Amino acid sequence: MKISSQLTALRYKCIYNSLVYMNKNNSKTRKYQEEGLKLLEGKVDKLPQEMAFRPKFITQSSCVKIFDKLYLFISKANLSKPISEKFDALFHEIGHWLHFQQMPPVSECKKIWENIDIEKVKQDVSEYAVKKNDGREFVAEVFKGLIKGKKYDDYIMKFYELLNGPKVRNK
């Protein structure tokens, strides 16, 4: 294992643990996490035990996999969004979190992604869903849509399943 990879892993671990610790007594982040996870309860098999909240000025949320560890970062900017989009970032990132645990090898994902109709995905899912050339953002965006009750046609769902998108149960 390269030293640079080990340093990156250590860096993420330190940042993540620091953010979790800083927000452990924050009632707003605790409430957001509880409400968001409650909306997912019963719809998926597994949910993260914790997440790190980034400062509001870092508007990007993310889920990062380094070796076998997953880090879920949510921007505090989401706490003040209207209810219709308040949990969008959380759902999207939990889609990544679940997908990363069962994702096919990246080379396989890229081969699957080569056969997709990009324009249809932009129209039916979102522009963001085509951001990467391996289907990762597609899976997270479809997952978010499914959690919010959106229905996709067989074409979209076929690719979601080929990429091992997380199973979502209707509650």
Side-chain angles (χ1 to χ4, degrees), residues 121-133:
V121 171
K122 284 181 183 178
Q123 181 180 338
D124 293 0
V125 182
S126 72
E127 292 269 339
Y128 197 78
V130 300
K131 187 175 180 190
K132 304 271 189 205
N133 68 346

Side-chain angles (χ1 to χ4, degrees), residues 127-144:
E127 292 269 339
Y128 197 78
V130 300
K131 187 175 180 190
K132 304 271 189 205
N133 68 346
D134 59 10
R136 280 182 290 165
E137 297 303 337
F138 167 80
V139 168
E141 284 290 285
V142 171
F143 177 82
K144 176 182 78 175

Side-chain angles (χ1 to χ4, degrees), residues 55-129:
K56 200 176 210 175
F57 65 87
I58 302 174
T59 57
Q60 185 71 30
S61 295
S62 63
C63 183
V64 181
K65 182 176 185 179
I66 300 180
F67 303 121
D68 62 343
K69 182 73 175 149
L70 292 164
Y71 299 101
L72 185 62
F73 295 95
I74 302 297
S75 171
K76 285 184 182 176
N78 292 292
L79 277 62
S80 57
K81 287 185 176 179
I83 193 68
S84 62
E85 55 188 76
K86 184 174 187 172
F87 298 105
D88 286 2
L90 177 69
F91 297 160
H92 177 97
E93 299 310 333
I94 288 181
H96 281 307
W97 187 85
L98 291 165
H99 188 223
F100 288 163
Q101 296 174 57
Q102 63 192 30
M103 189 171 144
V106 175
S107 59
E108 187 180 322
C109 290
K110 286 182 176 185
K111 284 183 180 161
I112 293 167
W113 192 248
E114 287 173 359
N115 297 307
I116 201 156
D117 180 343
I118 298 293
E119 292 306 314
K120 178 168 178 46
V121 171
K122 284 181 183 178
Q123 181 180 338
D124 293 0
V125 182
S126 72
E127 292 269 339
Y128 197 78

Side-chain angles (χ1 to χ4, degrees), residues 16-17 20 33 37 47-52 69 72 97:
Y16 186 80
N17 288 339
V20 168
Q33 182 173 333
L37 294 178
L47 290 170
Q49 295 298 306
E50 62 185 13
M51 58 192 73
K69 182 73 175 149
L72 185 62
W97 187 85

Side-chain angles (χ1 to χ4, degrees), residues 8-27:
T8 298
L10 182 60
R11 183 175 138 246
Y12 270 97
K13 181 179 181 179
C14 289
I15 292 169
Y16 186 80
N17 288 339
S18 296
L19 290 171
V20 168
Y21 180 78
M22 285 172 37
N23 287 290
K24 73 178 184 176
N25 293 320
N26 184 319
S27 62

